[in-house]
Amino acid sequence: MALQLRYLSLRITTSDGLFGVEIPFEAGLFVLHADNTSGKSTCLQSILYALGLEGMLSSTQNIPLPAVVTDFLDYDGQTYHVLESEVLLEISNGTKVITVRRQIKGRQDKHLINVWMGPMLSQTGTSYISSDYIVRQPGAASREIGFHHLLAEFIGWKLPNVPTYNESETLLYMETLFPLMFVEQKYGWSSLRNRFPTYFKIKELNRRAFEFITSLDAEKNAAQKIFLQQEAKNINTNWSVQIEAINRLVASINGLIDNLPTKPISDWPPSVQPEILIFDQEKRINIKQVIFGIEERLQYLNLQEVPSVEQVSKAAQQELQDKQEQLLKIETEIKFKFEEVERQIIHIEAIELRIVSLKEELLKNKDLKKLLNLGSTQDLQTHSGKCPTCYQSISDSLISIQEINNTMTIEENIDFIEEQLKVFNAMSKSEVKTLDLKKRQLNGLKSYVAEIRQDIRSLKTTLTSQSNAPSYAVIEERVRLAEKIRYIKLIRSQVDEVLGKFSQLSEEWREVQTRLASLPKEIFSKEDKSKISDLERSFQQQLQEYGFGSLNPINITISLESYFPEYEGFDLQFNLSASDYIRIIWAYLLGLLEVSRQHETNHLGLLILDEPRQQSAREASIEAFLYRASLSQQYGQQVIIATSESSTVLTQYLRNVPHTYKRFDGKIIAPL
């Protein structure tokens, strides 16, 4: 993993000619020196812009560059209007070199980047293959036409998917990683923690970025765990979808599916196999028995000759009377069953209201406990005759307040309410199941009524037909039974087809659970611990060298929770002077660079710092820091520093430090 800057070219076309700057970079410590407001930050920000990384600074699509490259520039007392501007950057991964161009102002869209497969800036006169790519657009990091997709391949990064606060996944974008390798002047020195872009809504972004840059096994294990958990979630969702499909099918024949696991299982079929039960009035009958009963009745009818109306007239009259009486009876049962359903709904609503009340009561008790833990003198108000949660009067208790000896503590109240919640939640689930059963029974009665009414219509048709005509009721019953058998068998066939899908889901579930169980129990591998330990050692050593004085550096550690420096479990920013906090940032970011020398990481071996001497850091500190940064040359790394330190002082800092020095007198952006 490597990225080195080789050449920067910033070109601005004005109405009076071409302005800009050409900066060739070298490996090791590179010092860009110029006065304040001369254009140093513009050069460094143009590097970010050329690489499509301005999203590191903000979620907006605005160009993060000053007016000197977008509107107008002042030079030698004259103002020049900017007509067009562009930035070109030549970069290397250690073996290959590419040159990128991105227009700042002009006719070309800012979301387009031109890439040449060679050193167009440092070796002029040679032509190279070029391609166009998109940047800061959907797909720019994941598709072939995306520049960040190309850049990731060029530097050897394989960006993982990470969880978001939207309960989905997203790519760990480059913009979230470069804050560990690039510090801009305006906000970059204010905090270690708050420099990462949050608009991607990535969970624990600081941790994910650190784990990727240091290539922790914890990151790979976490990514694998997240992937497997998402797979399990998908299987669970698919399982529920199939259950819903079966429920819709069996509901069409007024049935239900019994013994079907509501959650994925590892072995299919289950020991007690699922079966379809059909409601016959209020009874539940296995689908096989229902089909057998109907087929038996149909077979009996088919063996009989169809009688004439005259032959069945008397029996039909009696059957019609019986059916009408039966209809009245069943309709009365339906009325009672409907009332049962209504009462059940009211009962469930009452339980839900009680659950809401208990949750509110629990919250109030927890709030009171929090107040008491913080030293509040507020207490339970039972002594004043008021409920501590709803503040209603309880003065009409049958038991005198003086007779109550063992008032529950606030902790006991919370435990009691939580137990009540468990009970009522269980009751709610149970009563909902009961309601579902009652509704199915009601539907069974309604279906039975529909059949009786159909029988009544058939019998009336028979009795009003000519005496020598065949019995309409008998014919209609045969047709209806045959159709009923056909439909029930069709539903059973469709249910069997859906049930067949559970075998594959079960197999997938077993595989996911096996892989989850095989993941390491330890969060950090031996190599992870070694990396973090080496970072901590480098960090502490640097603080000592930089004259860190707010705390004893030996007592400052790298947190295994946040991966940031901490002192006795607390973030350092609130316990340090401003200048010491700058030293913390130096030591931390340079420490990450140094760790990549002894371990295999995803660090690019690049560190860019805009005005690292902030808050009047002592001269000894900056000199020690520059020397430490210069060691990057021995490892083929690159540290680029832009500073406006006075020439005399900077010369003194650098007298014993290997470096490349680039000085600009006056404005950096000048006529070309």
Side-chain angles (χ1 to χ4, degrees):
M1 316 296 169
L3 176 65
Q4 278 195 15
L5 308 188
R6 287 168 52 97
Y7 205 105
L8 172 68
S9 177
L10 193 56
R11 299 173 183 176
I12 304 163
T13 302
T14 73
S15 54
D16 291 293
L18 186 64
F19 284 71
V21 64
E22 308 278 331
I23 304 177
F25 295 101
E26 298 292 340
L29 176 61
F30 183 93
V31 179
L32 176 62
H33 186 211
D35 295 335
N36 270 329
T37 69
S38 61
K40 301 183 308 299
S41 294
T42 300
C43 291
L44 296 191
Q45 288 174 358
S46 69
I47 292 172
L48 277 185
Y49 183 75
L51 295 174
L53 293 169
E54 67 269 26
M56 180 186 109
L57 308 176
S58 170
S59 62
T60 68
Q61 292 285 343
N62 298 331
I63 296 174
L65 294 170
V68 68
V69 293
T70 58
D71 295 311
F72 59 87
L73 64 87
D74 293 322
Y75 188 79
D76 279 350
Q78 291 189 11
T79 299
Y80 300 89
H81 292 283
V82 175
L83 302 180
E84 290 187 352
S85 56
E86 64 181 10
V87 57
L88 292 95
L89 184 66
E90 189 176 293
I91 57 177
S92 169
N93 62 7
T95 57
K96 296 180 181 179
V97 176
I98 62 173
T99 304
V100 302
R101 173 191 175 274
R102 189 177 180 192
Q103 188 148 51
I104 301 169
K105 183 177 183 179
R107 286 173 294 178
Q108 182 168 299
D109 195 291
K110 64 183 178 182
H111 297 112
L112 185 68
I113 285 185
N114 314 117
V115 178
W116 287 268
M117 299 301 167
M120 284 284 294
L121 299 178
S122 61
Q123 296 181 21
T124 58
T126 305
S127 61
Y128 297 96
I129 297 173
S130 66
S131 300
D132 295 338
Y133 297 87
I134 62 170
V135 70
R136 300 215 71 198
Q137 291 278 291
S142 58
R143 303 208 306 266
E144 292 290 331
I145 63 167
F147 174 67
H148 281 181
H149 181 272
L150 168 76
L151 185 58
E153 287 187 346
F154 181 73
I155 61 182
W157 275 359
K158 187 176 181 181
L159 299 173
N161 286 321
V162 290
T164 68
Y165 288 106
N166 297 331
E167 300 304 323
S168 61
E169 284 188 343
T170 190
L171 206 63
L172 187 63
Y173 292 100
M174 285 190 176
E175 293 93 329
T176 68
L177 302 170
F178 268 81
L180 293 173
M181 292 171 284
F182 189 108
V183 182
E184 53 89 26
Q185 181 182 5
K186 193 171 182 180
Y187 302 110
W189 298 103
S190 61
S191 173
L192 266 177
R193 290 176 178 265
N194 301 325
R195 299 169 57 249
F196 298 83
T198 58
Y199 60 90
F200 291 109
K201 299 181 180 179
I202 295 174
K203 286 183 178 179
E204 297 183 307
L205 174 55
N206 298 357
R207 287 176 56 86
R208 300 291 84 82
F210 180 94
E211 288 169 350
F212 179 79
I213 289 296
T214 54
S215 191
L216 294 188
D217 293 329
E219 180 266 332
K220 300 181 185 69
N221 292 336
Q224 181 69 359
K225 186 175 182 180
I226 291 168
F227 171 77
L228 291 174
Q229 287 174 337
Q230 185 60 44
E231 285 291 297
K233 185 178 179 181
N234 293 341
I235 295 170
N236 200 29
T237 299
N238 202 358
W239 192 279
S240 298
V241 167
Q242 303 311 322
I243 290 177
E244 284 300 313
I246 289 177
N247 285 335
R248 286 194 299 271
L249 286 170
V250 297
S252 67
I253 55 174
N254 195 36
L256 60 83
I257 188 78
D258 199 20
N259 303 324
L260 179 60
T262 57
K263 299 293 181 183
I265 59 175
S266 298
D267 292 311
W268 187 269
S271 53
V272 180
Q273 294 199 18
E275 61 175 347
I276 301 173
L277 301 178
I278 297 178
F279 283 90
D280 182 6
Q281 300 186 52
E282 294 190 27
K283 296 180 294 182
R284 292 182 293 181
I285 304 174
N286 184 281
I287 191 171
K288 292 180 181 178
Q289 295 175 314
V290 171
I291 292 173
F292 177 78
I294 298 173
E295 287 180 335
E296 192 174 41
R297 171 65 178 166
L298 181 60
Q299 185 179 12
Y300 170 76
L301 290 175
N302 287 335
L303 291 175
Q304 310 297 317
E305 288 188 5
V306 177
S308 65
V309 172
E310 183 179 4
Q311 291 174 317
V312 298
S313 175
K314 187 174 182 180
Q317 288 178 355
Q318 182 61 47
E319 186 177 358
L320 175 61
Q321 183 179 347
D322 293 342
K323 290 287 184 181
Q324 288 172 332
E325 292 175 357
Q326 192 176 15
L327 177 62
L328 289 174
K329 180 182 176 183
I330 299 300
E331 285 180 335
T332 301
E333 289 183 26
I334 287 176
K335 178 184 176 183
F336 290 145
K337 183 60 68 174
F338 182 79
E339 290 173 352
E340 276 186 41
V341 168
E342 289 295 305
R343 286 195 297 271
Q344 187 70 14
I345 292 172
I346 293 170
H347 181 50
I348 291 172
E349 289 174 348
I351 292 174
E352 292 301 321
L353 285 174
R354 180 57 179 152
I355 289 173
V356 171
S357 176
L358 283 169
K359 285 180 177 178
E360 292 175 353
E361 193 173 344
L362 178 63
L363 182 60
K364 289 178 180 178
N365 275 268
K366 286 184 174 180
D367 287 345
L368 180 56
K369 181 182 178 182
K370 187 178 293 183
L371 289 172
L372 295 176
N373 289 340
L374 293 173
S376 171
T377 57
Q378 180 177 342
D379 203 348
L380 290 173
Q381 299 181 11
T382 51
H383 67 278
S384 63
K386 291 184 179 296
C387 172
T389 55
C390 67
Y391 303 103
Q392 296 185 37
S393 172
I394 53 173
S395 58
D396 57 351
S397 174
L398 296 175
I399 303 175
S400 171
I401 294 295
Q402 289 79 6
E403 295 178 11
I404 301 176
N405 297 320
N406 298 319
T407 304
M408 287 196 295
T409 64
I410 190 69
E411 289 81 6
E412 291 171 336
N413 265 339
I414 290 172
D415 290 342
F416 177 75
I417 295 169
E418 287 177 341
E419 288 301 317
Q420 288 284 294
L421 271 172
K422 290 179 183 177
V423 170
F424 277 94
N425 280 322
M427 285 177 59
S428 177
K429 290 180 181 178
S430 175
E431 295 302 326
V432 166
K433 288 182 179 179
T434 302
L435 174 62
D436 181 65
L437 179 61
K438 290 181 183 295
K439 285 182 175 180
R440 290 178 184 273
Q441 290 172 339
L442 178 60
N443 289 335
L445 291 171
K446 288 179 178 179
S447 297
Y448 189 45
V449 162
E451 290 182 4
I452 293 175
R453 285 176 175 161
Q454 194 170 11
D455 289 341
I456 289 173
R457 286 193 296 271
S458 298
L459 289 167
K460 285 182 177 180
T461 300
T462 297
L463 292 172
T464 56
S465 299
Q466 293 181 0
S467 60
N468 61 345
S471 171
Y472 178 84
V474 173
I475 295 173
E476 193 275 337
E477 183 181 7
R478 292 182 183 184
V479 173
R480 177 160 49 86
L481 291 177
E483 175 58 23
K484 190 172 184 179
I485 291 170
R486 185 200 68 78
Y487 187 69
I488 291 175
K489 285 184 175 181
L490 173 65
I491 295 300
R492 183 178 64 178
S493 173
Q494 291 176 342
V495 169
D496 288 343
E497 184 179 343
V498 178
L499 285 174
K501 298 178 181 179
F502 286 97
S503 178
Q504 178 64 29
L505 289 174
S506 181
E507 184 178 334
E508 293 172 2
W509 180 260
R510 180 170 62 253
E511 182 181 350
V512 167
Q513 295 305 310
T514 300
R515 290 170 64 186
L516 276 170
S518 66
L519 290 176
K521 305 302 179 188
E522 286 266 346
I523 297 177
F524 299 106
S525 67
K526 184 178 179 181
E527 177 65 6
D528 288 349
K529 293 176 182 177
S530 177
K531 289 176 182 177
I532 296 172
S533 176
D534 286 349
L535 173 61
E536 185 174 276
R537 189 179 304 108
S538 168
F539 179 77
Q540 292 171 345
Q541 287 174 355
Q542 289 182 74
L543 291 185
Q544 290 173 330
E545 293 173 8
Y546 303 158
F548 182 86
S550 297
L551 300 165
N552 185 344
I554 300 302
N555 296 327
I556 301 176
T557 58
I558 301 299
S559 168
L560 294 179
E561 292 295 324
S562 67
Y563 304 126
F564 285 121
E566 65 177 17
Y567 178 76
E568 295 182 348
F570 291 97
D571 182 35
L572 289 174
Q573 189 164 4
F574 303 104
N575 302 318
L576 306 178
S577 65
S579 59
D580 263 353
Y581 194 74
I582 297 302
R583 295 182 180 92
I584 288 287
I585 297 177
W586 292 350
Y588 186 76
L589 298 183
L590 199 51
L592 288 173
L593 182 69
E594 292 181 356
V595 166
S596 68
R597 299 168 188 168
Q598 286 83 36
H599 300 274
E600 184 179 338
T601 73
N602 287 317
H603 200 288
L604 297 178
L606 173 68
L607 184 59
I608 303 175
L609 307 174
D610 192 2
E611 291 288 6
R613 190 185 181 191
Q614 302 275 323
Q615 306 297 335
S616 300
R618 292 194 298 271
E619 293 182 5
S621 298
I622 187 68
E623 187 173 354
F625 168 69
L626 290 172
Y627 176 76
R628 190 101 181 193
S630 73
L631 299 178
S632 59
Q633 186 173 20
Q634 301 175 18
Y635 300 92
Q637 298 175 326
Q638 189 177 43
V639 178
I640 298 173
I641 292 174
T643 180
S644 57
E645 192 65 64
S646 73
S647 295
T648 304
V649 174
L650 186 60
T651 301
Q652 182 181 350
Y653 292 163
L654 295 170
R655 64 184 185 276
N656 297 316
V657 175
H659 67 282
T660 300
Y661 179 75
K662 181 69 175 177
R663 167 68 187 175
F664 286 92
D665 294 312
K667 296 291 185 181
I668 292 179
I669 295 176
L672 292 176

